[in-house]
Each structure stands twice: as C-alpha cells, then as structure tokens.
Amino acid sequence: MDRVNPRNVLVVVAAVAGCVAPFVMGDLTFLMRMLLAAIVVTGLSLLMGYAGQASLGQGAFVAVGAVTVAVGTTRWGLPPLLVLVAAPIVAGAFAALVGVPLLRLRGHYLAFGTLALLLMVQTAMSTLDFLGGAFGISGIPAFGVGGSVFTDQRPYVLLALGLLALVLFVTHRIVDSRFGRGIRALAGSETAAESAGVPVMRGKLVIFALSAMYAGLAGGLSAFFTPYVSPDSFPALESFTYVIMAVVGGLGTLWGGVVGAVLVSTLLQVLNLVSSQPQLPPTLGPILQYATYGGLLVVALLFMPGGIVPTVQSAAARAVSRRGGAGRT
Amino acid sequence: MTELVAYLISGIALGSSFALIGSGLVVVHRVTRVVNFAQGSVAIVGGMTSATLLNGLLPHGLGEIAAVVLCGVLGVLVGLLAIGRRGTPPLISLIVTLGASMLVSAAIIWLWGQDPVTPPGLEGSVTVLGAEVERQRLLVVAATGVAFAALTLFFSRSYLGKGLTASASNPFAARMVGIDVRKMGLLAFGLAGILGGLAGVLIAPSNPLSFYSDLPLVLSGFAAAVFGGLTSPLRTLFGGLGLGVAGQLTAGYLNGSYQTEMALLLMLVIMIIRSRALVQEEVK
Amino acid sequence: MLRIDDLVVRYGSAVAVDGISFEVGAGEMVALVGPNGAGKSTLINAISGLVAPHSGTVACEGRIAQVPEGRQMFADMSVEDNLLLGGWSIRNRDLGEVYDLLPDLAGMRKRKAGRLSGGQQQMVAVGRALMARPDLLAIDELSLGLAPLVVAELAEHLRFLNRERGTAVLLVEQEVTLAFDVCPRALVLEAGRIIAAGPSVELAQSETVRKAYFGDLAVAETMTGATAPATTEVSP
Ligand SMILES: Nc1ncnc2c1ncn2[C@@H]1O[C@H](COP(=O)(O)OP(=O)(O)O)[C@@H](O)[C@H]1O
Ligand SMILES: [Mg+2]
C-alpha cells in the first residue's frame, strides 16, 4: 500500500526545484524577489486566513525590517548577522506596539487602518533624515558572517530559501498548536471565539506581530540584497500584491503563500518580458501589470474563493477517493 | 486673516470632494456592507473623461454631465463584480473592488497614459472677505451643496430612495415587501459612481489627476466616511469638510507634505476612539 | 387559493419543513400552531417566497403578504414610509385605505417605527402587509410579546378584514386559545410535519392533541389551575 502522501512529494519537488534554480538561472533578482514575497505572504496568509484580519499595508513591516538593517549597518556599524536577526524582532515589536490600538479595528476599518499605517511609515521615512530622508539609505554592506562575505546573488537566494523553510516550519508548528486551533476560531466569529474562552485580542496581536516578523525578515534580507532602502521601495501596490498572492494561493493554508507568490511573480515576470519588447508602447507594461493584478483578484475571489491550494487539495482528495484509496490529503 | 480665509475656502473645496467620494462609499456600504475601493478610480475616470469631452467634443456643462453619467455606469459595473455573486462576504468584496480599481487603473493608463490630466474649469478668481479665491473652488463648494441636497431629497422623498433606505435599514423586511435588494445594491453602486465622478470632474481642473491618484482619493473619502460611521451621508459631509480644512491649515501653516498624513492620522484616531461604536454599527 | 404540495425546506443538511401538504381556501382563516422550532416560520417564509424550497410546490392564486415574526420594522423610517414600502410590489402608494381600516396608524404616521411600542409596531406590520392588497395574509406570531388587550384588538381587526374583504388568513400563533378562537380550522406542526389538522373546535377537544402538545394548557383549563405550572398560565 503506498504510504506516500502526494503533498509530501510536491514539497520535495518544490524544495529540489528551489535548490537547483539558483545554480541554473542567470539573473537571480527575480527568484530572490519571489522568495522574499513568499516569506511575507506566508505571514499575511496566516493573518488573513487564521485571524480573519485583512492587512492592506503589510509593506509597513517590510519597511521596518529593511530600515533596521539599513540604519544598523550604515549608521551604527553593527555586524550584518546581528541586524538581520534584529530586523524581524524590531518589526514584530513595532507591530505589537501599533497593534494594540490598531487591532481594535476590524474588517474594513482594519484594512484601511493598515493601509494608513503604511503611508505614515513612508512619510516617516522620507521626513526623518535618520531613517534616510527622501533619498533613502544606500551603501548597505554585503551580508556575511565572520570572514565570509556574500559576493554575488547566489548565496542570498540560498539564504532566502533557508529562511523561507524556517518560516514555513514555524508557521506549521504554530498552526498545529493548541494556540493555533484557538486562533482559527477567530476567522469564524470573534464573539464565538470569545465565548469559547479564546483570548481574542491577545491572539490577534500575536498573529499580527508574527506576520510582521516574517515581513521584517524579508525586508531585512532585501535591504542587504538591493542594497538600498528608500521610502519608494515599499509602494502600496506592493502590499496589494501580497494580498493578491495570499488570496490566489489560498488563505489559511500553509503552502498558500508560497504557491501564490510563485504563480503571481512568474506570471508578472512573463508579462514583463512580453511587454518590454522594444516595438511595443512603453505604457503596455503598467497596463498589463494592473490588468493582471485586477483580473487575478477578481477571478480568483469570485471563482476560486478558497484560493488555489484548497481548491487543488479538494480536487485531489476527490480524485483519490474515486480511485478507492483512503486519501489523506 | 485673508490668509486664513483663503485656507478655509480651499479647505472647504477640497473637503467637498472628500465628502462626495466618501458619501459614495457610504451609500454603497449602507445597502451592501461593502466598502468600494474602486471609488477613487471612478473619480479619476470622471475627471479624465471630462477633459477628453471638453476638448472640442462637447461644450462646458454637457461634457461634465456626460462624464458623471459614464461614471455612474462604471459604478454599476464595479458593483456587478463586487456583489454579482451571491454570498460573497463583505471583506472579500472589498478585495474584489480593490481588483476592480486595478482594472480601472489599467484602462486609465491605456486611454489617457500615465501623466496627470486636467480638464478646463472656471477661469479667474473672485475676492471673498479680502481673499483671492479661484472661481473653480467656489463651483466645487456650490456643486457639492447641490449634490448633497439632492441626495438627501432622493433618500427621504423619492419612492426609489425609500426603497434604498429600506434595503439598508432591514434587508429581510425589504425582501419581504418585494424589494430586489441586489438590484438596490447595484443602484447604490451606480449612485456612488455618480458621486465619485462628480468629485473627479470638480477637482480635476485645480488638482490634475493621474491613475496614481486613486489611493489618496479613496483614502480621503474613507476618512470622511468614517466620521459618518460609514452610514451617514450628512456626517460624512461634515467629516470631509473638517478633514479638508484641517489639511489646508496644516499645509498652510506647517508643511504642505503633511496634509495627507494629517487626514490619515485624524482618520485613525477617530476610528480607534469610536471602534466600539463602529463595530456595533457594522454588526447592525 | 393556496396549495402546498409535499413541501420540503432545508437549511444546509437540516430539514426544517419535511414534506408538508395543505390548502387554504379563498377567504378562509387557518391557524398554524406547534412548538418552537417546529418549522412554522420557515413554512411561512417559503410560502412568501423568502426561502427557496428544496422540493415540492407552493401554488397561490392571488397575492400573499406577510406579517413577519418580530415585526421587522424599517426602524429608522417613519410609519408612513413603512406603509408605503409595503405597497412596493404593486406600486401602491394610496395610504387612505389602510388608514381607514386601521385608523390608529394615521395618528402616528410621522413617528419613527423603531420608537413605537410592540403593539403599535404589530399594527404597522399588519398595515404594511395590507398595502400589498393581499388575498392571503400570512401572520407569524401575532401575539408574541404583546399585552392581551392589544392582541384582542389586533385579532378583531383580522376578523373584520376577513369578513369585509374576504382576505384569507394563515395565522401562526403560540397562544393556542387565541389561534383556535380566531381561526375555524387549524394545523398542528411538529418537527417539520403536520401531525394533526381539522376544525379548531375538534382539535381543541382531541385528547391526543391536548395531551401531547397543549397538555399543560388543557390541564390548566380543566383543572382550574390547581396543579398548573407557572409557565402554562394564559396571560391575565
Ligand atoms: N436561517 C436558519 N438557518 C439554519 N437553521 C434555521 C434557520 N432558521 C430556522 N432554522 C431551524 O429550522 C427549524 C425551524 O425553525 P422555525 O421555522 O423558525 O421554527 P418555528 O417558527 O416553528 O419556531 C429550527 O430547528 C431552526 O433551528
Ligand atoms: Mg417562528
């Protein structure tokens, strides 16, 4: 009897593909951005799917992580490893701080509140010279530990892969914990969760801070990779993209964030290549980008409201049970 | 003193547009519980369409009206996406309208490019209490006043308006007496399109609009609507005016670039202070 | 004029109405009684087309209007607006007729419906239903939460309406004595099925119905209250 869970096969395939790609692809910028997005979106999917709270401003925490690295390395000369570890911590602490008032809001109000937060973080970055001001902070040193310094893109990608794996592992452990099961009640009804003894506010705050930590981690890593941080590095559109990826992949699933990030990034990359053909008008790029974002959101939400991962999962479960196997998907 | 008058009037003009956009959000939210993120994009389409139409196709007046009507149609289309499918929860509908606003952005870039567009408005200025005020700004204020009066009359006097109010007040009973609540939702989206389009048509002559303006517009509108708990158009009007004036005073006396942040901060503070009441209104 | 055939209504997998068939003739008054959760409201809502049946048919010659459970006012609108909206389906905006039938309503036309007493709201709910000029009035829990005097007055209005206009009435009512008193014929519903039907006088006498479903009430009446538990008291 085959005991191989098809999902585990997929995970192995994805891991292998992820590890091989850095060695066969030329320019790794695309891959890197995709991995960073996957880290952010895994947290966002947790927040939206489990705690039922939409954040339209997840970029705020990416920015906090990036600024932590930029300021820590260029202003204070701290070692890269230390600031990379600090990035998620600072972002998480920031989220815990602003989360106390912000998470009193729900639904639409929270969605707009987080968007407002992002815009205010941008303003803070562009007005406070300490945070880089309008011109941002450049000259962030390459990442490295001890004597070994990252000299090209490949080690960054491998590091990002490792961190994504870590993030997925942590998410998996949290979701499966008693706390995670309690939190899941939040997405249904807060009143129900409350009466079932789930500490609603604390639970939301923890998930909010955790998703911010993921975002901060991705931001910190991107600051080393780019190596430049400015207020324009975190446009609202990017935060919307995270939402699109989360929704396309499937909210409240472990792999939804990764799947969404990979699919949406790849699609955009292909469109980018197509529209940057020299004979085409220069506005075609943004037109296609916006049309794709909009189309994806509308189509995904209206026709696959669960997202890709749950849809595929249930389709696979049906296929397995048709074949007579006791499918455990 | 004259400086203050100038800030106040330009603040009221700016706030009027917030109020128009915000009341569109309110009208839709009351009936459908959906917050229509595309409301800012619709306003941009309004401003840009009027620029195109007034460029030799139609005379002043007609061009603006045609642009506003088109925005009404666009609003209904957005509504079809947002509530066309039964049982879509409001928060998901918000994200659908976010998607719709991106589709509209794509259309805007396709039709008008990426640069800001500005239609011709009223020329010249007049002196009010010693302050030089552009006539276009006075037009914005007057048109907003007329629009809100018309909106109030529509809701309180017309049979259709009462049907809309009823759908918002008690959807079950509305269905029971034979009101098609979904159609009323679409009507609300159309009405919101008209209000948003009007805002765009009115402000574009003094504030050129590009596809990039959607976020500031919908955020300001939302901020205004928050004052009305997303349910009261009249309180949204006052919220919008307050935000506009506060913004202009900030811009005038402190620093121009903090104007938006001022509005956002006020919005956040109001939302958080009133969070309990807002949640209750949402549940109701 | 109303004919229900093997009607089944479900909420998800739960069956609320489980194969019900009955008829209401033109101008007839029929009571529908049964314990909480029996499916009475669901049945009424299916008849008015507010919930879709899973199977079976509802056929009606003529218009149906509903007086819903809990009265369902348009709370922040005036009484007059509430009434006007009642005529929505036939675009009837003539309030005179309803004010003639229920003169009390004319006196409170400008007041907000949400501010009225329960009895006044029920009056508005009846008036609102009448604005649709119904051939059948489906009333869900007429007396719930109302003082007996008010209920008596409302019942009188119903009788008048039935007599003068020939409006058929389907009356869901917890207060069995009232229901049987107003309606010559009754249906007893339990767990989504009709378990007894017939002339009210016979049902009220029927030993099985009294014991099984209104046992307490019957006991209270016949034993002059000596052993009746508090919950069975017919309100004074
Ligand atoms: N909207 C609903 N969703 C799910 N179940 C419902 C709903 N409304 C009623 N029910 C269930 O259907 C059954 C019949 O309810 P109802 O028709 O309200 O009974 P009654 O009016 O006789 O008290 C009950 O078990 C109730 O719990
Ligand atoms: Mg009932």
Side-chain angles (χ1 to χ4, degrees):
Chain A
M1 173 77 217
D2 87 68
R3 302 285 306 156
V4 181
N5 184 335
R7 195 171 62 176
N8 292 344
V9 176
L10 279 181
V11 171
V12 171
V13 169
V16 170
C19 295
V20 170
F23 296 96
V24 296
M25 286 174 74
D27 180 23
L28 296 179
T29 311
F30 161 69
L31 195 56
M32 183 69 185
R33 293 179 62 94
M34 186 171 90
L35 289 170
L36 293 175
I39 293 176
V40 179
V41 177
T42 301
L44 184 61
S45 178
L46 188 69
L47 178 69
M48 289 178 75
Y50 284 91
Q53 310 297 327
S55 164
L56 294 180
Q58 205 64 3
F61 307 116
V62 180
V64 170
V67 166
T68 304
V69 165
V71 169
T73 51
T74 62
R75 300 246 196 281
W76 295 335
L78 295 173
L81 183 60
L82 182 69
V83 288
L84 185 62
V85 172
I89 296 174
V90 174
F94 177 67
L97 203 67
V98 296
V100 170
L102 212 52
L103 286 174
R104 291 175 58 178
L105 307 175
R106 312 183 198 184
H108 301 121
Y109 297 103
L110 182 63
F112 276 86
T114 48
L115 183 53
L117 178 71
L118 169 64
L119 299 186
M120 293 169 85
V121 166
Q122 284 176 353
T123 310
M125 287 173 68
S126 60
T127 31
L128 300 177
D129 283 334
F130 178 70
L131 300 179
F135 301 108
I137 298 178
S138 48
I140 298 166
F143 186 76
V145 184
S148 61
V149 172
F150 287 12
T151 48
D152 65 347
Q153 292 183 326
R154 192 172 299 149
Y156 282 106
V157 172
L158 292 175
L159 179 60
L161 258 177
L163 290 176
L164 175 60
L166 176 71
V167 157
L168 285 169
F169 177 73
V170 170
T171 308
H172 172 69
R173 290 303 295 264
I174 285 178
V175 166
D176 265 7
S177 68
R178 216 168 68 86
F179 171 77
R181 282 189 294 277
I183 283 300
R184 231 169 298 182
L186 282 179
S189 152
E190 281 187 19
T191 338
E194 201 138 24
S195 55
V198 179
V200 171
M201 190 59 194
R202 211 185 56 195
K204 279 202 287 188
L205 201 57
V206 168
I207 296 289
F208 190 61
L210 189 72
S211 76
M213 286 182 78
Y214 294 177
L217 180 65
L221 200 53
S222 77
F224 281 114
F225 181 79
T226 313
Y228 167 73
V229 172
S230 87
D232 302 331
S233 315
F234 313 97
L237 188 62
E238 184 130 324
S239 287
F240 298 162
T241 313
Y242 299 140
V243 174
I244 297 171
M245 291 169 171
V247 164
V248 167
L251 300 176
T253 56
L254 181 62
W255 288 94
V258 178
V259 171
V262 169
L263 283 180
V264 174
S265 304
T266 309
L267 185 57
L268 286 178
Q269 182 72 359
V270 170
L271 289 172
N272 214 359
L273 289 177
V274 171
S275 62
S276 57
Q277 302 297 314
Q279 67 273 27
L280 294 173
T283 50
L284 188 62
I287 293 176
L288 280 180
Q289 189 193 9
Y290 276 103
T292 309
Y293 279 157
L296 272 178
L297 267 188
V298 171
V299 170
L301 284 172
L302 292 185
F303 299 103
M304 236 181 345
I308 286 182
V309 170
T311 306
V312 171
Q313 267 176 358
S314 60
R318 273 199 303 277
V320 168
S321 64
R322 251 203 309 279
R323 258 187 270 126
R328 194 186 67 93
T329 44
Chain B
M1 179 61 203
T2 54
E3 212 177 34
L4 180 66
V5 172
Y7 291 149
L8 281 179
I9 292 180
S10 61
I12 290 174
L14 192 67
S16 298
S17 65
F18 297 172
L20 284 173
I21 294 176
S23 61
L25 293 175
V26 166
V27 167
V28 167
H29 180 262
R30 269 158 52 101
V31 180
T32 65
R33 296 281 172 260
V34 174
V35 171
N36 177 12
F37 205 92
Q39 183 72 355
S41 315
V42 172
I44 300 169
V45 170
M48 296 199 163
T49 308
S50 78
T52 303
L53 293 178
L54 292 177
N55 190 13
L57 287 174
L58 287 176
H60 263 303
L62 277 183
E64 282 93 343
I65 289 173
V68 169
V69 170
L70 179 90
C71 287
V73 176
L74 185 59
V76 174
L77 291 179
V78 172
L80 275 174
L81 287 181
I83 58 167
R85 223 180 121 102
R86 262 162 231 277
T88 311
L91 199 56
I92 293 294
S93 291
L94 168 77
I95 302 179
V96 172
T97 60
L98 172 64
S101 84
M102 289 173 166
L103 289 176
V104 176
S105 289
I108 291 172
I109 302 173
W110 181 39
L111 294 170
W112 288 285
Q114 288 172 285
D115 296 327
V117 170
T118 183
L122 282 184
E123 300 291 336
S125 48
V126 290
T127 316
V128 180
L129 296 172
E132 190 95 329
V133 179
E134 289 166 46
R135 286 171 60 188
Q136 177 67 24
R137 291 195 199 278
L138 294 182
L139 175 68
V140 174
V141 177
T144 305
V146 171
F148 270 87
L151 197 64
T152 310
L153 282 180
F154 172 71
F155 277 121
S156 63
R157 295 292 155 81
S158 80
Y159 203 39
L160 196 59
K162 284 176 185 172
L164 264 175
T165 308
S167 308
S169 162
N170 187 337
F172 175 84
R175 252 163 31 91
M176 194 190 70
V177 299
I179 296 173
D180 186 336
V181 175
R182 212 179 71 95
K183 252 190 211 149
M184 288 293 147
L186 291 179
L187 176 66
F189 267 97
L191 206 54
I194 288 175
L195 290 164
L198 185 61
V201 164
L202 288 171
I203 55 169
S206 19
N207 306 55
L209 297 175
S210 77
F211 77 101
Y212 216 63
S213 321
D214 61 342
L215 205 54
L217 286 176
V218 73
L219 267 169
S220 329
F222 187 81
V226 162
F227 282 83
L230 290 187
T231 52
S232 159
L234 199 63
R235 278 189 284 149
T236 301
L237 174 61
F238 293 123
L241 296 183
L243 284 172
V245 169
Q248 287 296 302
L249 290 179
T250 315
Y253 291 117
L254 294 172
N255 183 333
S257 57
Y258 295 145
Q259 189 177 342
T260 322
E261 280 61 37
M262 188 68 207
L264 292 181
L265 201 62
L266 276 175
M267 171 184 96
L268 275 177
V269 169
I270 296 283
M271 286 202 298
I272 290 164
I273 290 176
R274 298 198 53 221
S275 58
R276 212 163 279 277
L278 293 176
V279 166
Q280 272 158 10
E281 280 181 50
E282 189 110 319
V283 170
K284 212 171 60 181
Chain C
M1 60 155 303
L2 174 73
R3 189 193 175 94
I4 313 274
D5 240 333
D6 203 18
L7 185 72
V8 178
V9 183
R10 298 176 148 191
Y11 295 108
S13 60
V15 181
V17 168
D18 191 8
I20 283 183
S21 307
F22 69 92
E23 284 183 37
V24 177
E28 210 186 352
M29 294 180 95
V30 178
L32 189 61
V33 298
N36 248 328
K40 306 181 297 292
S41 298
T42 306
L43 179 59
I44 290 251
N45 287 338
I47 289 171
S48 332
L50 288 170
V51 300
H54 171 75
S55 62
T57 54
V58 174
C60 185
E61 304 152 10
R63 275 189 299 275
I64 305 174
Q66 185 178 348
V67 177
E69 189 171 3
R71 306 184 263 278
Q72 302 284 353
M73 294 288 97
F74 298 116
D76 40 10
M77 302 179 81
S78 69
V79 167
E80 191 158 280
D81 283 347
N82 270 269
L83 295 176
L84 282 171
L85 286 162
W88 182 275
S89 55
I90 56 165
R91 294 288 183 269
N92 173 24
R93 294 180 225 185
D94 175 16
L95 293 163
E97 224 176 325
V98 169
Y99 286 154
D100 280 348
L101 281 166
L102 305 167
D104 290 356
L105 289 179
M108 47 178 141
R109 55 204 279 186
K110 292 287 171 217
R111 293 176 61 190
K112 290 246 183 299
R115 298 270 171 79
L116 302 177
S117 72
Q120 290 170 321
Q121 287 191 352
Q122 194 66 291
M123 188 89 78
V124 175
V126 172
R128 185 175 63 183
L130 292 180
M131 283 296 288
R133 300 207 178 99
D135 303 292
L136 173 76
L137 198 54
I139 303 177
D140 199 351
E141 310 281 15
L142 180 72
S143 73
L144 198 69
L146 302 184
L149 269 178
V150 178
V151 176
E153 192 193 335
L154 284 166
E156 202 40 57
H157 281 305
L158 289 186
R159 287 198 189 94
F160 179 79
L161 206 67
N162 178 257
R163 212 167 47 230
E164 301 294 315
R165 297 286 196 82
T167 310
V169 173
L170 182 61
L171 178 65
V172 166
E173 188 47 69
Q174 299 258 341
E175 201 85 55
V176 181
T177 17
L178 172 74
F180 284 7
D181 186 35
V182 173
C183 303
R185 188 157 76 86
L187 307 163
V188 185
L189 208 64
E190 194 181 273
R193 295 168 189 268
I194 296 177
I195 55 142
S200 302
V201 267
E202 283 174 30
L203 279 178
Q205 297 309 315
S206 140
E207 216 36 51
T208 45
V209 170
R210 290 176 73 158
K211 277 235 170 74
Y213 304 101
F214 316 108
D216 297 350
L217 188 63
V219 169
E221 275 169 7
T222 51
M223 295 194 155
T224 58
T227 55
T231 50
T232 63
E233 297 273 348
V234 178
S235 336

